[in-house]
Amino acid sequence: MNTLKDKINQIISEYRVENHIQIKAKVENLIKKHSKNVKLFEVLAIVFAQNGRIEDAIFIFTQILNQEPKSIDTLINISLAYSEINKIDKALEYLEKAKKVNIKQTEVYFNIGLIYEKKQSWNKAISNYEKAIKYNSKNINALINLGNIFLLNKSYNKSLKFFESAIKLRENDPALHHNIAVVLTQLNQSDKAIKCYLKSIQLNSTNSLTYYNLGNLLANKLLLNEAIDYYFKAINI
C-alpha cells in the first residue's frame, strides 16, 4: 500500500504532464484524507514553484495555511510565490501575517526588504534589511544587499561597513572581494582596492569585469604595462 509520501512523490513525477485542474483535484483529495500531515505537502508546493507552476504552488500553500495558519515557513513560501508573478501586495500581505506570528523572524524582514529593493524603495528596503540583521547578525544576504544598496546610492562608507561585515562570514567569496574593491576605489584607497581585486581573481579567475576594473585602477596609477596586461586578460576570458 502506498504511503502519503509515495503519493506525493507520484504527483511530483507526473506534474510535467498534468494540468492545474488535474493536480488540484489530486492534492485536494489527499489533503482531505491526510489533514494531520498537511505540512508534507510543502515539498510538493516548493517543487511546483521552482519549476514555474506557481498557480499549483499557491493553491497547495493556501491549503496548508487553512490547516496551519501560523506556519512561518508556509507564509514566507507563499509570499515568494506571489512575488514571482509580481503580485507584490499579496506577497507583502503574507509577510505581514508572518511578522505577527513571530516579530523577530529575520527571514520575514529580509524578504520584505527584497521586495522593496526590487521596487527601488530604498528607505523601506534598508529599514527591513537592518531589522533582519538586528534579529540575526549573521544574515549574510541582508548584509550584502545593504552593501549593494549603499554602493548604488554612492554612500561608500556605509557600503564598506556592510561588505566588511559580510566578508567576515564568507571570506572566500570572490564577488564580495570585488565589491569591496569597487568601494575602496571610490574612497581613494587604491592600494587596498588592488589587493581586493587580486584576491577576487585568486578565488575566481573567470570574471572579466574584475580584470577590467583592476586594469582601470592600475592605469589611473600610471602602471600602464600592468594595466594593459589585465585588459588583455579581460578580453581573453
Side-chain angles (χ1 to χ4, degrees):
M1 183 177 179
N2 289 341
T3 66
L4 176 57
K5 285 186 179 179
D6 291 332
K7 292 175 181 176
I8 291 175
N9 287 331
Q10 184 180 353
I11 292 174
I12 291 173
S13 68
E14 294 173 350
Y15 85 91
R16 292 184 188 278
V17 296
E18 294 194 334
N19 61 36
H20 175 66
I21 294 174
Q22 291 171 312
I23 292 290
K24 181 178 177 181
K26 283 188 176 182
V27 171
E28 202 167 27
N29 185 49
L30 279 178
I31 289 177
K32 285 179 181 177
K33 291 181 178 179
H34 302 278
S35 60
K36 292 183 179 180
N37 297 304
V38 72
K39 283 291 286 181
L40 288 173
F41 292 90
E42 192 103 16
V43 175
L44 177 60
I46 291 170
V47 169
F48 285 147
Q50 289 174 342
N51 287 276
R53 296 282 289 265
I54 304 299
E55 187 179 358
D56 291 318
I58 288 173
F59 168 75
I60 297 170
F61 288 137
T62 302
Q63 299 303 307
I64 295 170
L65 289 170
N66 286 341
Q67 300 289 331
E68 298 186 19
K70 294 185 178 182
S71 170
I72 288 280
D73 290 341
T74 311
L75 288 166
I76 292 174
N77 284 331
I78 195 171
S79 76
L80 293 173
Y82 276 116
S83 292
E84 281 292 314
I85 55 176
N86 292 317
K87 292 189 176 181
I88 302 304
D89 289 342
K90 290 294 290 184
L92 288 172
E93 175 189 326
Y94 281 101
L95 288 170
E96 288 298 327
K97 289 180 180 179
K99 194 194 299 183
K100 290 178 181 178
V101 175
N102 183 357
I103 200 169
K104 296 182 179 181
Q105 171 57 258
T106 181
E107 288 304 314
V108 172
Y109 293 103
F110 173 78
N111 282 291
I112 294 174
L114 200 60
I115 288 172
Y116 284 120
E117 182 180 357
K118 289 178 180 177
K119 290 164 66 76
Q120 296 187 359
S121 298
W122 304 125
N123 289 337
K124 289 183 178 180
I126 290 167
S127 174
N128 280 283
Y129 285 143
E130 287 178 339
K131 286 178 182 176
I133 294 168
K134 175 182 177 181
Y135 296 120
N136 178 8
S137 61
K138 294 183 179 181
N139 189 324
I140 190 167
N141 292 320
L143 290 167
I144 291 171
N145 288 5
L146 280 167
N148 287 331
I149 289 173
F150 285 119
L151 173 57
L152 186 63
N153 288 279
K154 299 182 179 181
S155 295
Y156 300 118
N157 285 308
K158 289 182 179 179
S159 178
L160 184 61
K161 168 189 169 184
F162 288 108
F163 282 146
E164 287 183 336
S165 294
I167 205 73
K168 292 175 183 177
L169 301 172
R170 194 184 289 168
E171 294 180 359
N172 294 322
D173 188 327
L176 271 174
H177 286 285
H178 177 277
N179 288 348
I180 290 173
V182 171
V183 174
L184 289 170
T185 301
Q186 296 298 327
L187 292 172
N188 296 316
Q189 298 182 40
S190 57
D191 290 340
K192 289 183 179 180
I194 289 170
K195 290 180 181 179
C196 288
Y197 278 131
L198 290 173
K199 182 64 175 181
S200 180
I201 290 169
Q202 178 187 339
L203 294 167
N204 176 15
S205 60
T206 63
N207 187 343
S208 61
L209 181 60
T210 306
Y211 290 103
Y212 177 76
N213 286 345
L214 179 53
N216 284 341
L217 187 54
L218 292 167
N220 288 336
K221 291 173 70 69
L222 300 179
L223 299 171
L224 300 183
N225 288 334
E226 292 181 50
I228 290 169
D229 183 43
Y230 281 104
Y231 286 142
F232 273 117
K233 288 179 179 178
I235 293 169
N236 291 323
I237 287 177

